Amino acid sequence: MKQVLMGNHALSYGAKVSRAQVISAYPITPQTEVVELLSKMCASGELKAKFIKVESEHSAMAALIGASATGVRTFTATSSQGLAHMHEMLHWAAGARTPIVMGNVNRAFAPPWSVWTEQNDSLSQRDTGWMQLYAQNNQEVLDSVIQAYKVAETFDLPAMVILAAFVLSHTSETVEIPKQEKVDEFLPPYEREYKLDTDQPHAFGGLADPDNYFELRYKIQKAMEKAAVKWEEVGEEFEEIFGRKYGLVETYKVSDAKNLIVSSATIASTARNAVDALRSKGIKVGLLRIRVFRPFPAKQIRAILNSVDKAIVIDRNIGFGASGIFYQEVKAAMYNEKNTPPIFGVVTGLGGRDVSSKDIIEIYQSVIREEEPKSDIIWKGLKE
Amino acid sequence: MAKKSDKKITFKKEKEMPPYAISFYSMEFNKTVSWRNFRPIIDYDKCTSCMICWKYCPEAAIDLKKKKAKGKEKLTPVINYEYCKGCGICWEECPVDAIDIEEEAG
């Protein structure tokens, strides 16, 4: 069934058709509608889930870690300050190997207060052991929640489905809500090996001495590596049932591309228009959209970047004291490659400043003239 | 899972280990006696069985047992030294100073 949905409600419907069993969340702009709709669904019985109201995001995540440890499917959503407040529990969720799925609406950090989009909130959680997926439209938001459960529950790793504040969260688009029986066919109920269960009591998350801790961290990394393969398989399986294909990355007109634009989330979807406009002038440019950021799709990125002359990474985030964060990661993935092209790093659109197709064309045309990058950051759209 | 007496579990290989930190046996077998530096001791001549120590014990290491005191059988707090960690909360909270605390020898 097709409906006109804002990105936030696409998250809610994603959780609903995935049959989330425990939902715990605290409202924060611009995420509020996600849990508002879910709490309504729980109250009306439309969704048979336990909705736990809490006093903070830290508690929301803590509640879900406990719930997930009993072997049920869990969901929450947050944004920005709320995600930062969860930080300690994010490490806990990953260490406890609880496959929680969370929606995060990318919103800039305070101060100064902002409710507009920027990726620093989720990227600050890069090393917590959560998988991260940056969606480009509302359909992908909904579809990614379903896929995230499948990957997360295969490896007992938590996953974050990330969408841009307002650009997706409050923008209405046509979204196909998959039929329940088809989602059930795709996504079986969650099975957990060791459960929090009064009939078989175990203590969870206790002390691991240096004799044991190391291997548990190794296991998270190995699970991440396997998850990188699984995301691709799940994307193909999803296409067979629902007709929409997904992978770790998405490419657009790269087969004959001389130069490449690399970006993520909604800047990447806008960049498609820029690529079309540039190609209409005979410029051979392609687009690489990094959809899944953790596990990092280094293999897919290498396969494409090895065959282009130059690449421009556009970041709506900044690693202060260094450069754009996707830029750092792409460069690191390419460093030991034989045919590494010059890679340029653009930082733009912080705090939700609009990045239009025209802006991306200007970024491409001005940056591509350079032989090689003169600095780690090329600022664009800044009042200099 | 079969309940066996608790002993230090050593894994030789990463693959033998569960994916997350769990105890294999219940707390019934995971004694925390070695944690204790101070031993609380109840003086049953002073104890009124008010049960305040039982309520305050953060480790549930005080049990209530039927005991004969002054000819009558009543519920009386008994410290379980297999689990008591010696935090001293019972000693602090006892309203009639019926709990003394001593340093553990060795």
Side-chain angles (χ1 to χ4, degrees), chain B residues 16-31:
Chain B
E16 294 170 0
M17 297 172 75
Y20 27 88
I22 61 162
S23 69
F24 282 96
Y25 314 111
S26 75
M27 284 305 289
E28 193 179 344
F29 299 101
N30 186 16
K31 317 270 197 240

Side-chain angles (χ1 to χ4, degrees), chain A residues 113-352:
Chain A
W113 284 112
S114 166
V115 290
W116 295 275
T117 194
E118 190 190 294
Q119 296 171 323
N120 265 53
D121 58 350
S122 51
L123 289 171
S124 294
Q125 311 306 329
R126 185 187 66 173
D127 299 331
T128 52
W130 279 65
M131 297 190 283
Q132 290 198 357
L133 183 152
Y134 292 81
Q136 65 171 342
N137 58 45
N138 293 350
Q139 183 70 62
E140 188 179 326
V141 168
L142 192 156
D143 292 348
S144 297
V145 171
I146 305 167
Q147 294 166 44
Y149 278 114
K150 185 131 183 167
V151 181
E153 292 171 4
T154 304
F155 303 105
D156 286 328
L157 285 174
M160 229 180 262
V161 175
I162 300 155
L163 55 153
F166 300 106
V167 185
L168 290 189
S169 73
H170 287 68
T171 301
S172 294
E173 294 181 333
T174 311
V175 175
E176 165 94 26
I177 301 173
K179 283 203 176 79
Q180 187 64 57
E181 57 267 28
K182 288 202 165 183
V183 179
D184 293 345
E185 182 194 333
F186 177 81
L187 184 68
Y190 174 42
E191 298 284 345
R192 188 170 174 83
E193 193 179 356
Y194 299 104
K195 289 178 199 172
L196 200 58
D197 179 356
T198 50
D199 290 334
Q200 288 199 326
H202 295 286
F204 287 83
L207 190 73
D209 59 14
D211 211 25
N212 290 308
Y213 188 94
F214 195 178
E215 283 73 22
L216 294 172
R217 285 301 176 266
Y218 172 81
K219 280 174 185 286
I220 294 176
Q221 173 61 20
K222 286 290 143 188
M224 276 279 183
E225 289 168 15
K226 285 183 196 156
V229 179
K230 186 75 178 176
W231 273 108
E232 298 271 285
E233 290 170 7
V234 162
E236 283 166 23
E237 196 187 327
F238 192 89
E239 188 191 16
E240 280 167 29
I241 298 178
F242 303 99
R244 292 181 291 274
K245 188 176 165 59
Y246 295 96
L248 292 166
V249 301
E250 185 194 18
T251 56
Y252 185 64
K253 298 188 177 173
V254 294
S255 58
D256 64 340
K258 219 165 140 284
N259 298 317
L260 198 65
I261 296 171
V262 182
S263 199
S264 64
T266 48
I267 289 186
S269 64
T270 307
R272 203 176 286 108
N273 292 334
V275 166
D276 284 343
L278 289 162
R279 283 211 168 235
S280 72
K281 294 179 195 163
I283 298 165
K284 289 203 164 151
V285 57
L287 169 71
L288 170 65
R289 176 170 74 95
I290 298 175
R291 175 175 176 246
V292 176
F293 176 71
R294 281 292 180 273
F296 193 67
K299 195 179 127 194
Q300 287 73 8
I301 289 168
R302 286 180 191 131
I304 296 157
L305 260 73
N306 268 326
S307 61
V308 298
D309 291 346
K310 288 175 192 171
I312 304 170
V313 182
I314 304 176
D315 271 297
R316 184 174 249 162
N317 59 72
I318 180 164
F320 290 119
S323 59
I325 295 166
F326 280 79
Y327 178 55
Q328 295 171 31
E329 300 260 344
V330 171
K331 273 202 302 182
M334 293 307 296
Y335 183 76
N336 284 333
E337 297 296 295
K338 285 202 182 77
N339 300 314
T340 302
I343 305 171
F344 300 83
V346 171
V347 170
T348 192
L350 299 185

Side-chain angles (χ1 to χ4, degrees), chain A residues 57-71:
Chain A
E57 289 85 356
H58 187 278
S59 303
M61 187 47 62
L64 292 192
I65 291 165
S68 184
T70 69

